[in-house]
Short mmCIF file of all heavy atoms in Angstrom, two decimals:
data_model
loop_
_atom_site.label_atom_id
_atom_site.label_comp_id
_atom_site.label_asym_id
_atom_site.label_seq_id
_atom_site.Cartn_x
_atom_site.Cartn_y
_atom_site.Cartn_z
N ALA A 348 -48.02 -59.14 15.89
CA ALA A 348 -47.59 -60.51 16.17
C ALA A 348 -48.49 -61.15 17.22
O ALA A 348 -48.89 -62.31 17.09
CB ALA A 348 -46.14 -60.52 16.62
N VAL A 349 -48.83 -60.37 18.25
CA VAL A 349 -49.67 -60.91 19.33
C VAL A 349 -51.10 -61.13 18.82
O VAL A 349 -51.69 -62.21 18.97
CB VAL A 349 -49.68 -59.96 20.54
CG1 VAL A 349 -50.66 -60.45 21.59
CG2 VAL A 349 -48.27 -59.84 21.12
N LEU A 350 -51.64 -60.11 18.16
CA LEU A 350 -53.00 -60.19 17.64
C LEU A 350 -53.10 -61.34 16.64
O LEU A 350 -54.08 -62.08 16.61
CB LEU A 350 -53.33 -58.86 16.95
CG LEU A 350 -54.78 -58.56 16.66
CD1 LEU A 350 -55.55 -58.52 17.97
CD2 LEU A 350 -54.90 -57.23 15.95
N GLY A 351 -52.04 -61.48 15.82
CA GLY A 351 -52.03 -62.48 14.78
C GLY A 351 -52.10 -63.89 15.33
O GLY A 351 -52.49 -64.82 14.62
N MET A 352 -51.72 -64.06 16.58
CA MET A 352 -51.83 -65.39 17.17
C MET A 352 -53.29 -65.83 17.20
O MET A 352 -53.60 -66.99 17.03
CB MET A 352 -51.25 -65.39 18.57
CG MET A 352 -49.74 -65.23 18.60
SD MET A 352 -49.11 -64.97 20.26
CE MET A 352 -49.47 -66.55 20.99
N PHE A 353 -54.17 -64.86 17.45
CA PHE A 353 -55.58 -65.21 17.67
C PHE A 353 -56.47 -64.94 16.47
O PHE A 353 -57.66 -65.12 16.55
CB PHE A 353 -56.11 -64.44 18.89
CG PHE A 353 -55.34 -64.74 20.12
CD1 PHE A 353 -54.33 -63.89 20.55
CD2 PHE A 353 -55.59 -65.90 20.83
CE1 PHE A 353 -53.60 -64.19 21.68
CE2 PHE A 353 -54.86 -66.20 21.96
CZ PHE A 353 -53.86 -65.34 22.38
N MET A 354 -55.89 -64.47 15.38
CA MET A 354 -56.76 -64.06 14.29
C MET A 354 -56.29 -64.60 12.96
O MET A 354 -55.13 -64.94 12.78
CB MET A 354 -56.80 -62.54 14.21
CG MET A 354 -57.56 -61.95 15.35
SD MET A 354 -58.04 -60.29 14.96
CE MET A 354 -59.50 -60.66 14.10
N ASP A 355 -57.21 -64.59 12.04
CA ASP A 355 -56.88 -64.88 10.66
C ASP A 355 -56.29 -63.62 10.03
O ASP A 355 -56.60 -62.50 10.45
CB ASP A 355 -58.16 -65.33 9.97
CG ASP A 355 -58.18 -64.90 8.54
OD1 ASP A 355 -57.41 -65.45 7.76
OD2 ASP A 355 -58.94 -63.98 8.22
N ALA A 406 -48.87 -60.46 8.63
CA ALA A 406 -50.07 -61.28 8.42
C ALA A 406 -49.69 -62.70 8.03
O ALA A 406 -50.33 -63.67 8.43
CB ALA A 406 -50.95 -60.64 7.35
N PHE A 408 -46.94 -64.14 8.95
CA PHE A 408 -46.42 -64.71 10.19
C PHE A 408 -47.60 -65.28 10.99
O PHE A 408 -47.51 -66.38 11.53
CB PHE A 408 -45.69 -63.60 10.95
CG PHE A 408 -45.06 -64.03 12.22
CD1 PHE A 408 -44.18 -65.10 12.25
CD2 PHE A 408 -45.32 -63.37 13.41
CE1 PHE A 408 -43.58 -65.50 13.45
CE2 PHE A 408 -44.72 -63.75 14.60
CZ PHE A 408 -43.86 -64.83 14.61
N CYS A 409 -48.70 -64.53 11.02
CA CYS A 409 -49.83 -64.99 11.84
C CYS A 409 -50.50 -66.22 11.23
O CYS A 409 -51.26 -66.90 11.90
CB CYS A 409 -50.81 -63.86 12.11
SG CYS A 409 -52.19 -63.75 11.01
N LEU A 410 -50.18 -66.53 9.96
CA LEU A 410 -50.72 -67.76 9.37
C LEU A 410 -50.06 -69.01 9.96
O LEU A 410 -50.56 -70.11 9.77
CB LEU A 410 -50.51 -67.75 7.85
CG LEU A 410 -51.38 -66.81 7.05
CD1 LEU A 410 -50.93 -66.79 5.59
CD2 LEU A 410 -52.83 -67.24 7.11
N ILE A 411 -48.92 -68.83 10.61
CA ILE A 411 -48.23 -70.02 11.14
C ILE A 411 -48.08 -70.00 12.66
O ILE A 411 -47.51 -70.92 13.23
CB ILE A 411 -46.84 -70.22 10.48
CG1 ILE A 411 -46.00 -68.96 10.59
CG2 ILE A 411 -46.99 -70.64 9.03
CD1 ILE A 411 -44.55 -69.16 10.14
N THR A 412 -48.59 -68.95 13.33
CA THR A 412 -48.42 -68.92 14.79
C THR A 412 -49.63 -69.54 15.48
O THR A 412 -50.75 -69.35 15.06
CB THR A 412 -48.25 -67.48 15.31
OG1 THR A 412 -49.32 -66.67 14.83
CG2 THR A 412 -46.93 -66.90 14.88
N PRO A 413 -49.39 -70.32 16.53
CA PRO A 413 -50.48 -70.88 17.31
C PRO A 413 -51.14 -69.79 18.15
O PRO A 413 -50.49 -68.78 18.40
CB PRO A 413 -49.79 -71.90 18.21
CG PRO A 413 -48.39 -71.41 18.35
CD PRO A 413 -48.08 -70.71 17.06
N PRO A 414 -52.34 -69.94 18.61
CA PRO A 414 -53.20 -71.11 18.39
C PRO A 414 -53.99 -71.09 17.07
O PRO A 414 -54.45 -72.12 16.64
CB PRO A 414 -54.17 -71.04 19.56
CG PRO A 414 -54.26 -69.59 19.89
CD PRO A 414 -52.92 -69.00 19.58
N ILE A 415 -54.15 -69.90 16.46
CA ILE A 415 -54.94 -69.83 15.22
C ILE A 415 -54.00 -69.54 14.07
O ILE A 415 -53.76 -68.38 13.75
CB ILE A 415 -56.02 -68.74 15.30
CG1 ILE A 415 -56.90 -68.92 16.53
CG2 ILE A 415 -56.87 -68.74 14.04
CD1 ILE A 415 -57.71 -70.18 16.55
N GLY A 416 -53.41 -70.56 13.49
CA GLY A 416 -52.55 -70.34 12.33
C GLY A 416 -53.15 -71.12 11.16
O GLY A 416 -53.03 -72.34 11.08
N LEU A 417 -53.79 -70.39 10.27
CA LEU A 417 -54.60 -71.01 9.24
C LEU A 417 -53.81 -72.03 8.41
O LEU A 417 -54.28 -73.12 8.13
CB LEU A 417 -55.15 -69.92 8.32
CG LEU A 417 -56.57 -70.10 7.83
CD1 LEU A 417 -57.51 -70.42 8.98
CD2 LEU A 417 -57.03 -68.83 7.13
N PHE A 435 -47.66 -77.06 14.29
CA PHE A 435 -47.20 -75.90 15.07
C PHE A 435 -45.80 -76.15 15.62
O PHE A 435 -44.97 -75.25 15.64
CB PHE A 435 -48.18 -75.59 16.21
CG PHE A 435 -49.38 -74.81 15.74
CD1 PHE A 435 -50.66 -75.20 16.08
CD2 PHE A 435 -49.22 -73.67 14.96
CE1 PHE A 435 -51.77 -74.49 15.65
CE2 PHE A 435 -50.32 -72.95 14.53
CZ PHE A 435 -51.59 -73.36 14.87
NA1 LIG D 502 -51.89 -67.12 14.22
#
Side-chain angles (χ1 to χ4, degrees):
Chain A
V349 174
L350 197 61
M352 291 171 67
F353 301 98
M354 289 198 85
D355 146 71
F408 182 54
C409 95
L410 287 173
I411 53 172
T412 53
I415 306 296
L417 219 49
F435 279 131

